[in-house]
Amino acid sequence: MNSPSSDDPQSRYSRRSLLAAAVVGAAASSVGGKVRADEEKSTVGVKNGRINQSIVPWCFSPMTLAELAPHAVRLGMKSIELVQPADFPILKKHGLVCALTSSHGFVKGWNDVANHDFCREKMTSAINATADAQFPAVITFSGMRGELTDEEGKRNMVAGLKTIMGLAEKRGVNICIEPLNTRVDVHMKGHPGYQCDTIEWAVDVCDAVGSPRLKILFDIYHTQIMEGDVITRIGQYQDYIGHYHTAGVPGRNELDDQQELNYPAIMKAIVATGYTGYVGQEFIPKNKDMIASLEAAVQLCDV
């Protein structure tokens, strides 16, 4: 979806509104654009609020976290996620949550016992910092497949996660496993060689660990590429899902009419499950005006 145009009923001015705008135009420039800023707040951003929206900041580089935070607030978003605990004060300054805290990364994960000490150290630190900040969740990954079979990888991941789930339960923090697509061989658009590349793989791990604090990060983009049937899987695995991510398919770009996913229908399906967590906007803007792309995505998902 593109940024709102004059053809959009929600952004269309009546003749009376246009006349009023002309009257206050000069005043707006004399007060540093305050009227324009107030007008944007009334026409752009979250209105319904049935989806708690979040920004994944790496997609909006080179914008800094400090630059993104005011936009998140202006758009009615509640979170900027996948940041390190050192950056939590920036979020708190703006009244934002980190919906999902970064941890050990997707290359070295729990599927290889050689990585268990590394993952445990990273996860322990992230869990404690997240709990101290009263934020909800930490991300985790399987790691790259290497020579491991699916069963070996699952068994190792289960054993590793069991060593930190007690801490997560005690501190009231969810751990979210992210399946990634292995079909697209483009940097940060796919991850060939990653082991957990289906929702079902992650479900098997969750079942074996048996903790109510272990959830799945349902990345809509990755799931569409690997398996499809997104809305069916949302309903089927709703009890396992602790977080969502968005992006257009193909390309991992805007949620516009150049890609194949029907995001309003997907968001309505999420709402229908009773989900009250967060949906992270994790698309890579092609538009030079990245914030315009974010505004359009926020409105599209605000069902």
Side-chain angles (χ1 to χ4, degrees), residues 33-45:
K34 183 179 184 300
V35 171
R36 182 177 181 277
D38 289 344
E39 184 181 353
E40 285 183 351
K41 286 180 182 179
S42 68
T43 60
V44 177

Side-chain angles (χ1 to χ4, degrees), residues 245-303:
H245 279 166
T246 72
V249 178
R252 199 171 194 168
N253 303 125
E254 280 85 350
L255 318 186
D256 59 17
D257 60 3
Q258 302 302 305
Q259 58 87 45
E260 66 196 33
L261 288 164
N262 183 350
Y263 268 98
I266 292 169
M267 293 299 124
K268 289 175 184 177
I270 291 171
V271 170
T273 68
Y275 178 76
T276 58
Y278 293 84
V279 174
Q281 298 285 2
E282 199 184 22
F283 64 92
I284 303 170
K286 292 185 294 184
N287 185 355
K288 289 183 179 180
D289 188 346
M290 295 186 290
I291 296 304
S293 290
L294 179 62
E295 290 173 351
V298 168
Q299 289 184 285
L300 190 71
C301 292
D302 185 38
V303 297

Side-chain angles (χ1 to χ4, degrees), residues 28-287:
S29 61
S30 68
V31 294
K34 183 179 184 300
V35 171
R36 182 177 181 277
D38 289 344
E39 184 181 353
E40 285 183 351
K41 286 180 182 179
S42 68
T43 60
V44 177
V46 173
K47 302 296 182 187
N48 298 318
R50 298 199 296 169
I51 296 289
N52 297 317
Q53 298 194 46
S54 178
I55 302 174
V56 181
W58 71 264
C59 302
F60 295 86
S61 177
M63 292 188 71
T64 66
L65 191 60
E67 291 169 335
L68 274 174
H71 289 292
V73 173
R74 176 177 63 84
L75 293 173
M77 304 178 83
K78 297 183 177 181
S79 162
I80 298 179
E81 63 185 73
L82 291 182
V83 303
Q84 298 291 339
D87 290 322
F88 286 174
I90 296 175
L91 302 186
K92 292 208 166 189
K93 175 183 176 181
H94 292 275
L96 295 167
V97 168
C98 177
L100 193 65
T101 304
S102 295
S103 63
H104 56 84
F106 61 82
V107 175
K108 295 173 63 176
W110 294 105
N111 66 336
D112 188 338
V113 293
N115 299 330
H116 280 193
D117 288 345
F118 166 76
C119 292
R120 187 181 304 108
E121 178 182 354
K122 292 289 187 180
M123 292 293 293
T124 298
S125 176
I127 290 167
N128 283 326
T130 299
D132 289 345
Q134 297 184 309
F135 294 157
V138 175
I139 195 170
T140 195
F141 302 92
S142 69
M144 306 305 277
R145 179 184 299 274
E147 300 300 320
L148 294 165
T149 67
D150 275 346
E151 291 310 309
E152 289 170 333
K154 287 177 189 175
R155 185 166 60 248
N156 292 341
M157 189 165 187
V158 169
L161 285 170
K162 281 185 174 180
T163 67
I164 55 94
M165 290 313 303
L167 176 64
E169 291 168 5
K170 179 180 178 181
R171 302 291 330 253
V173 172
N174 285 342
I175 306 301
C176 293
I177 305 169
E178 183 170 24
L180 304 172
N181 93 74
T182 53
R183 297 185 62 208
V184 179
D185 193 5
V186 178
H187 179 64
M188 293 308 290
K189 296 187 178 185
H191 306 278
Y194 183 76
Q195 188 151 45
C196 178
D197 61 359
T198 67
I199 299 298
E200 288 75 15
W201 201 99
V203 166
D204 286 348
V205 171
C206 289
D207 285 343
V209 172
S211 171
R213 286 291 175 181
L214 186 60
K215 302 290 185 180
I216 294 170
L217 194 175
F218 192 109
D219 189 302
I220 298 162
Y221 163 82
H222 290 304
T223 301
Q224 172 69 1
I225 290 171
M226 291 303 298
E227 304 183 89
D229 291 334
V230 168
I231 289 177
T232 296
R233 284 187 161 81
I234 286 170
Q236 184 177 1
Y237 299 120
Q238 60 183 282
D239 294 338
Y240 293 87
I241 298 170
H243 199 79
Y244 287 92
H245 279 166
T246 72
V249 178
R252 199 171 194 168
N253 303 125
E254 280 85 350
L255 318 186
D256 59 17
D257 60 3
Q258 302 302 305
Q259 58 87 45
E260 66 196 33
L261 288 164
N262 183 350
Y263 268 98
I266 292 169
M267 293 299 124
K268 289 175 184 177
I270 291 171
V271 170
T273 68
Y275 178 76
T276 58
Y278 293 84
V279 174
Q281 298 285 2
E282 199 184 22
F283 64 92
I284 303 170
K286 292 185 294 184
N287 185 355

